[in-house]
Amino acid sequence: KSSKMALSGGNTLFIDEGASRLVKIHPAVLFSVLDHYIRRTEGQTRVVGTLLGYMDEVNGCVVVTNCFAVKHSDKKDEVFLDMAPTMQDLHMRVNPKETVVGWYATSMDGVSIVDSSSLIHDFYASQCHDPVHLVIDTAMTGDHVGIKAFVSNPLSVNGMGLATVFRQVTAELETSEPERICLDRMMSGVSLDNINSNSSGDGEDGEAETVSSLSDLSHEMQSLEGSMKRLLEMIEEASSYVDKVVDGKIKADDETGRRIADTLASVPRIRPEVFDRVFNDNLQDLLMVSYLSSLTKGQLAIAERLSATN
């Protein structure tokens, strides 16, 4: 079932200065919003949806972990929302920790806040306390996909509401360990020039070369080697920083010191021979998974060739 509603009226003000609040966004949310925008109906200028997440009471920030699309239509002084409670119920079954924390929208011709934003925000204020409004700049005004987060406060004089004031707050990307590994794999992929050069051949040979090059670059061993190199570089950088602080060359930073201490405390203390055994066991598992993956790709390629010839 879905509930349709029309929101009308409302005035909107925008202040490009933030309140002391932090919003942490997981990468899956951004991909979902962009996918929603790409699949929008013809003639639609922006898309909106519901943000799911939780309130981190310890750090005093809002963590956005998921989202889902909401059908809507903008008219002059009205906004029609086609809410789907079933979507929220399904998300709650999968992860009961996630609740409604706000809503998202893509920019409208590069503009983050429009007149109808106050109407939609007032609706979400009835769904959760102090909702967050996330705006994705799909117009790419700064040659990149910008991300902004807002909270709102009513502007009133003598108890009479005049407008909704949006204040920008700090938004940052937070990744879990699996998400970070996935993003590293995506960012370390083959360049477009390399793909174009490999696919410039005639027919299936060029396509086979492209698939082969992508397969080689995405090999698990290369990914492991790259991760170990980055880890070594970060350890050397942290060690150099500590040495400079001890020698009095630079001033110590309390926050950096706490982060280094927390990182060292999270490293398990195991004997070298035990570590070698565990590492070798995991490496063998990784090689087995890589082999099975390559074998599956080969079988799929053979099946496609056979079906094409038939």
Side-chain angles (χ1 to χ4, degrees):
K1 296 181 179 180
S2 63
S3 57
K4 298 182 179 180
M5 59 194 69
L7 309 175
S8 61
N11 295 313
T12 304
L13 295 177
F14 166 55
I15 299 179
D16 194 10
E17 294 180 358
S20 58
R21 193 175 180 183
L22 176 63
V23 178
K24 295 183 178 181
I25 309 162
H26 282 254
V29 177
L30 304 181
F31 288 125
S32 298
V33 175
L34 294 177
D35 180 71
H36 183 196
Y37 180 77
I38 292 173
R39 299 174 184 271
R40 70 190 186 280
T41 58
E42 185 177 358
Q44 192 174 10
T45 55
R46 73 167 181 167
V47 297
V48 302
T50 302
L51 296 176
L52 301 175
Y54 60 92
M55 181 67 185
D56 188 351
E57 300 292 346
V58 177
N59 298 317
C61 63
V62 179
V63 182
V64 183
T65 57
N66 208 340
C67 65
F68 62 87
V70 173
K71 293 182 180 180
H72 90 294
S73 61
D74 284 305
K75 293 188 177 180
K76 291 183 179 179
D77 295 327
E78 291 184 333
V79 178
F80 293 90
L81 296 178
D82 188 0
M83 302 299 295
T86 305
M87 288 294 298
Q88 182 177 343
D89 294 339
L90 291 175
H91 281 284
M92 290 290 293
R93 290 182 182 181
V94 175
N95 192 349
K97 185 179 179 182
E98 292 180 346
T99 59
V100 176
V101 295
W103 64 289
Y104 71 80
T106 55
S107 60
M108 184 176 292
D109 298 327
V111 180
S112 300
I113 302 297
V114 296
D115 290 338
S116 59
S117 297
S118 61
L119 303 176
I120 303 177
H121 200 83
D122 289 342
F123 166 75
Y124 278 94
S126 64
Q127 303 294 310
C128 63
H129 174 68
D130 199 7
V132 173
H133 177 31
L134 187 67
V135 179
I136 310 298
D137 182 18
T138 51
M140 300 183 66
T141 53
D143 293 332
H144 65 279
V145 180
I147 305 171
K148 294 181 180 180
F150 302 91
V151 295
S152 72
N153 298 105
L155 178 63
S156 59
V157 177
N158 294 330
M160 180 181 297
L162 299 179
T164 300
V165 181
F166 283 89
R167 295 182 180 273
Q168 186 173 347
V169 297
T170 304
E172 66 179 31
L173 192 66
E174 181 179 71
T175 58
S176 61
E177 187 66 18
E179 290 173 334
R180 185 188 62 79
I181 295 174
C182 182
L183 289 175
D184 287 344
R185 292 291 303 275
M186 293 173 60
M187 296 174 63
S188 62
V190 65
S191 64
L192 291 178
D193 294 337
N194 193 11
I195 292 178
N196 293 332
S197 62
N198 287 331
S199 60
S200 60
D202 296 332
E204 298 179 352
D205 293 338
E207 182 180 356
E209 290 179 2
T210 302
V211 175
S212 177
S213 63
L214 288 173
S215 177
D216 292 338
L217 284 176
S218 63
H219 197 278
E220 296 291 347
M221 290 301 296
Q222 293 183 358
S223 177
L224 178 61
E225 181 182 2
S227 299
M228 296 301 294
K229 287 182 178 180
R230 287 194 296 273
L231 177 61
L232 182 59
E233 291 174 356
M234 289 188 289
I235 293 176
E236 291 176 350
E237 183 178 357
S239 178
S240 176
Y241 170 80
V242 173
D243 292 339
K244 291 180 181 179
V245 171
V246 173
D247 296 338
K249 296 181 180 179
I250 59 176
K251 185 179 179 180
D253 181 71
D254 295 339
E255 180 64 22
T256 304
R258 283 192 292 268
R259 288 180 178 272
I260 294 176
D262 293 340
T263 303
L264 293 176
S266 64
V267 177
R269 296 183 179 182
I270 58 177
R271 296 191 303 274
E273 58 273 14
V274 177
F275 176 80
D276 291 339
R277 186 178 68 253
V278 173
F279 181 80
N280 290 329
D281 292 342
N282 291 334
L283 184 60
Q284 291 177 3
D285 294 340
L286 183 61
L287 291 175
M288 178 60 68
V289 172
S290 178
Y291 170 74
L292 294 176
S293 176
S294 300
L295 185 61
T296 303
K297 290 179 180 179
Q299 290 179 344
L300 290 175
I302 294 174
E304 290 179 358
R305 296 291 180 90
L306 292 176
S307 61
T309 55
N310 294 333

